Amino acid sequence: QVQLVESGGGLVQAGGSLRLSCAASGSILNINSITRMGWYRQAPGKQRELVATITRGDSTDYADSVKGRFTISRDSGKNTVYLQMDSLKPEDTAVYFCNALMLGPRLTWGQGTQVTVSS
């Protein structure tokens, strides 16, 4: 199995920036079976929603609400995916989760990291 650990959340003022990291660990076989990683978020009382995804071939996809403000990237050597969040808004406040889609298919989630944007 693959384990995902998120970090980088915190409290920031509106207009500020944060960078989230998601480090994947596990056997080489499982790490190499990851085809796509993504960031999702869940605000209180709302459903979990897609923020951004990146494939093994570096194709990216973003929710309309974050296009132009957030950037997803990955460092394959470190098995880590990043989410650079700029021009943050109070409505970006949520718990941010990382996930990994592997061959099978199998889906793994991290434990989440809190992002709070104050107005």
Side-chain angles (χ1 to χ4, degrees), residues 53-113:
T53 61
I54 186 166
T55 69
R56 200 171 187 85
D58 290 329
S59 293
T60 58
D61 189 29
Y62 295 91
D64 288 343
S65 59
V66 306
K67 282 181 181 177
R69 300 188 298 121
F70 291 12
T71 303
I72 190 170
S73 62
R74 70 187 189 96
D75 184 334
S76 58
K78 295 181 179 179
N79 298 323
T80 300
V81 171
Y82 304 98
L83 185 68
Q84 177 67 40
M85 305 186 294
D86 300 317
S87 302
L88 282 161
K89 304 175 181 180
E91 50 264 43
D92 294 317
T93 294
V95 178
Y96 284 70
F97 297 90
C98 174
N99 80 358
L101 179 66
M102 296 169 282
L103 296 173
R106 293 171 292 159
L107 191 65
T108 296
W109 292 89
Q111 82 287 353
T113 185

Side-chain angles (χ1 to χ4, degrees), residues 1 3 5 15 18 20 23 26 28 34-35 39 41 43 65-66 69 71 101 110 117:
Q1 192 55 283
Q3 292 78 43
V5 178
L18 282 175
L20 305 182
I28 292 177
I34 295 174
T35 59
W39 287 97
R41 66 186 181 187
S65 59
V66 306
R69 300 188 298 121
T71 303
L101 179 66
V117 185

